[in-house]
Amino acid sequence: MDKHILIFGTSTTYGAWDSQGGWVARLRKYIDKNQIESNFKNEILIYNQGISGAKTEDILKTLEPEAQARLGHNRDNEIIIILHVGINDTIYNEDLGKVEVSPDEFKNNLKLLLDKAKQYSEKIIIVGSMPVDKRVDPMPWAPGRSYRNEYVGKYNEILENVSKEEKAYFVEVFKKFIDTDYSSFLTDGVHMNDEGHKKLYEMVRDFLLEKKII
């Protein structure tokens, strides 16, 4: 039985801006190396479904068809789903005078995502977001829109609480970095640099190993 790991998320999931391809690419390299060295004893394939700018409502449209495509003709492949979501839902819009996705809407979308994911996987992991810094308040590339830690932290708590309620795994990121010099891991205030991606890769890799998921 093959394992297919589907990782849904945003531009950070995609790998911006890491010269090594991002934390998901680093995880794939680690797994590929182990498979080659074990003479392919266990086959694990990773699919990066990171989409720049994606919010939870966008990922709701892609999760099911992507998971369906990985089941295989005999429907005997094991599907593992990782959700690295939430950062774009926290965007504060000056014109609206509020975040673009309300906490209630975010929580509802997250539960819908988990409902869909449970149809395909018994192993669902939610990965939290890194803190942001003042360089994206407002975003230079989107005047009038901002990332702010007051919202990133609040939505991180929603991720954690819904994970517990729905019995999904949760990888805490925000709380582990908020009291550190986390800006040194960011290229532009929100996207991670090489070192940031390396740190996140190591956190996710160690979690997956600890829980015997890989």
Side-chain angles (χ1 to χ4, degrees), residues 6-202:
L6 280 69
I7 306 180
F8 296 88
T10 65
S11 54
T12 297
T13 317
Y14 162 77
W17 299 111
D18 178 13
S19 64
Q20 301 300 311
W23 70 269
V24 177
R26 290 170 184 263
L27 181 62
R28 177 182 169 180
K29 288 177 184 178
Y30 169 80
I31 289 175
D32 285 353
K33 182 174 183 290
N34 284 352
Q35 288 186 110
I36 293 167
E37 291 176 349
S38 70
N39 197 27
F40 302 96
K41 182 179 179 181
N42 297 303
E43 187 166 337
I44 305 175
L45 301 177
I46 290 185
Y47 300 90
N48 188 335
Q49 306 295 336
I51 300 173
S52 179
K55 297 179 180 179
T56 47
E57 64 179 349
D58 301 306
I59 298 170
L60 275 168
K61 300 171 186 174
T62 63
L63 188 146
E64 197 160 15
E66 291 294 341
Q68 184 71 32
R70 311 302 172 214
L71 279 174
H73 296 298
N74 298 322
R75 301 183 69 84
D76 59 355
N77 293 329
E78 180 183 3
I79 304 294
I80 297 162
I81 293 176
I82 298 178
L83 300 173
H84 184 214
V85 300
I87 189 67
N88 292 323
D89 294 72
T90 73
I91 293 172
Y92 182 87
N93 190 304
E94 292 287 353
D95 290 336
L96 298 176
K98 61 182 181 180
V99 287
E100 294 180 346
V101 180
S102 72
D104 287 342
E105 185 180 357
F106 176 63
K107 183 176 181 180
N108 184 59
N109 286 346
L110 189 57
K111 288 190 171 186
L112 288 173
L113 274 173
L114 289 172
D115 285 344
K116 286 181 179 289
K118 287 176 184 177
Q119 296 177 37
Y120 299 94
S121 177
E122 296 179 356
K123 296 174 182 175
I124 303 165
I125 303 99
I126 295 178
V127 178
S129 300
M130 281 280 275
V132 298
D133 69 26
K134 61 184 179 181
R135 287 175 287 174
V136 286
D137 185 13
M139 298 178 232
W141 56 89
R145 302 173 78 218
S146 301
Y147 292 103
R148 297 175 182 173
N149 278 331
E150 62 182 292
Y151 301 117
V152 179
K154 182 175 183 177
Y155 284 49
N156 184 72
E157 290 183 5
I158 294 173
L159 288 174
E160 184 178 11
N161 292 336
V162 171
S163 297
K164 290 177 181 177
E165 291 171 11
E166 301 295 330
K167 295 180 172 56
Y169 295 106
F170 180 65
V171 180
E172 176 60 70
V173 177
F174 183 85
K175 292 177 184 176
K176 289 188 176 180
F177 285 94
I178 189 64
D179 293 324
T180 70
D181 181 24
Y182 62 84
S183 286
S184 64
F185 300 126
L186 304 174
T187 57
D188 55 12
V190 63
H191 298 103
M192 294 183 294
N193 56 24
D194 287 20
E195 190 60 27
H197 277 279
K198 180 175 181 286
K199 290 282 188 185
L200 185 56
Y201 147 67
E202 290 171 346

